[in-house]
């Protein structure tokens, strides 16, 4: 590995700040948008007419963002280079009727979102974040970033089988966090949240709220070679994609043969089927409108899509030293070994041999090492936005990511070098 790419502390520090500023998908896209605006991008409204001007633009919709940079003089049929990711993480979500409790404990009723490791939410100091919807149709971001909630584990004295036989959790009964003492009062939680947000509780007509661990990310290991933190699946990829797009937009337009795009979707962890998910129309609509805004025809749109390539970036599994038998015996991705190429012949990942060549070329250009991940044949394989993006839009897609441990935990672990290496590979890919 090139010495110039070894452990860029500034980039990793910036990732840690990004994670802390993004306790929900809504905060994640707002944080990404602020960073893009500093790089000269401007927001365009979906309800407004778009023009064909050059420069950086972005669309926000709920917990999703699509941003793109049009170089000066770009033809309508110019293909796109896309880096895709998702903003959501497995967690707990507040129910429509959140006020509950028993025996003098006030609790918050929550649903379980995605395939979270439930035990990692036990005995952890939790804040509360998300958005509230107001009577006038606007939204307000909320981030109560201090210890407020806790899911208390049953003492071992009252569950003697927990250690020898394994902890057994009832998803309905055992995961409701406490947040105080006293009688349950209907509307109490939302009144509290409204006060924290500085709005009248009577104006709050809806909410999308979720607990989050308030413990900040931290370097780990003798030489600080590891990074522990929340929501790295998949805000690590969102952060790298944002940094890569901003970097490419700063290059001379004449050096950009493609239109670089960053697309970060919501709801990947539960199937991507929403208006802000990868299985929705958002990305295709944005790309098409960009073609047509520059005077293009349907023929131009078809030509642009035919030459488009997407890197779908999501975290993957590093080989676990305590469970090596769960991994493929000949594919052992390691942390700080560079980004991984994800392969599954049953198309749980969208990568094929042609896509491998594209990714390998980008890594070579960036002087970034890379690895390959494939699942053990005896284990089911997860999936990403990659196959959905390829099938929905008919564009070549390659699945990549960073190898981590503790995936879907409230606190995950990656190599401290890998986020920087991923961003470098993405930058080289977007630049063509």
């Amino acid at each position: 590995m090139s010495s110039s790419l070894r452990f860029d502390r500034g980039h990793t520090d910036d990732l840690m700040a990004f994670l802390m500023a993004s306790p929900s998908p809504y905060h994640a896209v707002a944080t990404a948008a602020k960073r893009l605006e500093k790089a000269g991008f401007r927001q365009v409204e979906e309800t407004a007419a778009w023009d064909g001007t050059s420069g950086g633009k972005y669309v926000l919709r709920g917990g999703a963002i699509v941003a793109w940079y049009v170089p000066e003089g770009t033809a309508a049929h110019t293909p796109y280079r896309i880096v895709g990711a998702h903003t959501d993480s497995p967690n707990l979500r507040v129910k429509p009727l959140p006020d509950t409790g028993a025996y003098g404990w006030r609790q918050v009723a929550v649903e379980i979102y995605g395939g979270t490791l439930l035990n990692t939410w036990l005995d952890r100091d939790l804040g509360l974040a998300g958005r509230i919807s107001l009577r006038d149709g606007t939204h307000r971001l909320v981030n109560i970033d201090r210890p407020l909630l806790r899911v208390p584990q049953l003492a071992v004295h009252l569950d003697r089988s927990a250690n020898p036989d394994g902890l057994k959790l009832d998803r309905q009964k055992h995961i409701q966090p406490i947040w105080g003492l006293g009688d349950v009062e209907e509307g109490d939680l939302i009144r509290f949240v409204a006060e924290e947000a500085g709005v009248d509780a009577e104006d709050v007509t809806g909410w999308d709220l979720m607990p989050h661990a308030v413990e900040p990310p931290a370097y780990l290991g003798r030489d600080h070679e590891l990074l522990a933190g929340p929501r790295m699946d998949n805000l690590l990829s969102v952060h790298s994609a944002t940094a890569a797009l901003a970097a490419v937009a700063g290059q001379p337009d004449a050096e950009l043969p493609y239109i670089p795009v960053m697309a970060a979707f919501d709801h990947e962890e539960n199937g991507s089927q929403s208006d802000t998910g990868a299985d929705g129309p958002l990305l295709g609509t944005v790309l098409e409108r960009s073609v047509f805004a520059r005077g293009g025809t349907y023929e131009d749109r078809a030509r642009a899509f035919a030459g488009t390539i997407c890197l779908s970036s999501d975290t993957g599994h590093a080989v676990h030293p305590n469970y090596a038998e769960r991994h493929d015996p000949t594919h052992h991705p390691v942390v700080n070994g560079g980004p991984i190429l994800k392969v599954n012949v049953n198309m749980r990942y969208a990568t094929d041999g042609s896509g491998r060549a594209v990714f390998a070329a980008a890594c070579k250009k960036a002087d970034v090492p890379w690895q390959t991940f494939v699942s053990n044949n005896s284990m089911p394989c997860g999936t990403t936005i990659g196959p959905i993006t390829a099938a929905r839009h008919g564009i070549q897609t390659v699945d990549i990511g960073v190898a981590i441990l503790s995936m879907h935990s409230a606190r995950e672990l990656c190599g401290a070098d890998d986020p920087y290496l991923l961003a470098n590979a993405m930058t080289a890919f977007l630049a063509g």
Side-chain angles (χ1 to χ4, degrees):
M1 186 189 307
S2 169
S3 60
S4 63
L5 293 175
R6 289 298 302 174
F7 188 23
D8 184 287
R9 174 65 69 88
H11 181 90
T12 309
D13 286 347
D14 192 62
L15 168 61
M16 295 164 75
F18 188 91
L19 294 172
M20 287 297 292
S22 308
S24 78
Y26 314 106
H27 289 83
V29 298
T31 304
K34 288 179 182 177
R35 289 164 176 245
L36 290 173
E37 286 182 354
K38 290 182 179 179
F41 285 69
R42 61 181 176 89
Q43 184 176 3
V44 293
E45 299 291 341
E46 291 187 84
T47 54
W50 291 8
D51 58 45
T53 57
S54 59
K57 306 173 186 180
Y58 69 89
V59 165
L60 288 182
R61 183 192 290 185
I65 181 172
V66 180
W68 65 103
Y69 181 82
V70 180
E72 187 73 35
T74 298
H77 62 268
T78 300
Y80 299 94
R81 281 284 177 106
I82 306 168
V83 286
H86 67 87
T87 61
D88 59 319
S89 302
N91 62 2
L92 311 178
R93 303 286 177 102
V94 174
K95 288 184 175 180
L97 299 175
D99 299 294
T100 187
Y103 306 105
W105 295 100
R106 292 157 68 194
Q107 294 174 275
V108 176
V110 296
E111 286 187 273
I112 297 166
Y113 178 84
T116 187
L117 283 169
L118 293 178
N119 65 294
T120 67
W121 290 86
L122 302 179
D123 298 332
R124 193 179 290 274
D125 296 338
L126 305 173
L128 191 66
R131 69 176 182 180
I132 52 177
S133 302
L134 304 181
R135 194 177 304 279
D136 63 4
T138 61
H139 303 286
R140 185 73 61 88
L141 293 183
V142 179
N143 184 10
I144 305 171
D145 195 31
R146 64 177 186 272
L148 178 69
L149 309 168
R150 186 180 179 93
V151 183
Q153 188 170 186
L154 185 64
V156 70
H157 312 80
L158 303 178
D159 184 9
R160 300 286 182 176
S161 65
N163 284 331
D165 299 331
L167 181 66
K168 294 180 175 60
L169 295 171
D170 184 290
R171 293 166 62 90
Q172 177 63 33
K173 295 191 299 183
H174 298 156
I175 310 297
Q176 308 305 313
I178 60 172
W179 76 299
L181 301 173
D183 297 331
V184 177
E185 298 182 28
E186 185 177 351
D188 198 21
L189 179 70
I190 299 307
R191 283 192 293 271
F192 170 77
V193 171
E195 181 179 356
E196 290 285 322
V199 302
D200 191 329
E202 296 299 319
D203 289 333
V204 179
T205 55
W207 50 87
D208 302 280
L209 300 170
M210 54 204 76
H212 66 277
V214 298
E215 183 183 3
Y219 290 108
L220 188 79
R222 184 190 65 182
D223 299 318
H224 288 181
E225 66 264 46
L226 302 171
L227 176 67
R231 299 177 296 280
M232 286 196 282
D233 179 10
N234 187 33
L235 294 188
L236 189 160
S237 295
V238 177
H239 173 261
S240 289
T242 304
L245 180 60
V248 171
Q251 297 182 11
D253 284 4
E255 297 179 5
L256 297 178
Y258 304 98
I259 297 174
V261 180
M262 185 266 284
F265 303 99
D266 202 351
H267 303 129
E268 189 273 346
E269 297 294 354
N270 60 12
S272 295
Q273 292 185 320
S274 71
D275 69 316
T276 54
D279 204 18
L282 180 59
L283 176 62
T285 299
V286 168
L287 300 184
E288 287 180 345
R289 290 185 69 176
S290 178
V291 170
F292 298 148
R294 285 176 280 121
T297 64
Y298 184 81
E299 181 72 9
D300 292 315
R301 179 261 188 216
R303 292 175 66 188
F305 277 47
T308 293
I309 307 174
C310 174
L311 287 189
S312 161
S313 181
D314 202 347
T315 55
H317 302 293
V319 61
H320 197 302
N322 298 337
Y323 301 91
E325 73 280 0
R326 304 293 181 96
H327 300 267
D328 183 84
T330 59
H331 295 77
H332 284 168
V334 296
V335 298
N336 288 335
I340 56 173
L341 179 74
K342 299 179 175 183
V343 178
N344 180 266
V345 294
N346 294 303
M347 299 311 293
R348 298 293 284 173
Y349 303 129
T351 307
D352 62 9
S354 176
R356 174 191 173 98
V358 170
F359 181 63
C363 290
K364 182 177 181 180
K365 179 180 177 181
D367 195 18
V368 167
W370 59 280
Q371 312 172 79
T372 304
F373 171 84
V374 65
S375 290
N376 185 309
N377 285 328
S378 299
M379 304 291 293
C381 180
T383 190
T384 68
I385 66 167
I388 293 171
T389 302
R392 182 168 184 84
H393 305 295
I395 57 180
Q396 182 180 11
T397 304
V398 187
D399 273 298
I400 66 165
V402 162
I404 70 171
L405 293 181
S406 305
M407 187 183 293
H408 288 196
S409 168
R411 193 167 178 85
E412 296 160 323
L413 183 73
C414 76
D417 289 359
D418 284 330
Y420 182 58
L421 297 175
L422 176 66
N424 275 286
M426 285 181 170
T427 302
F429 166 76
L430 288 178

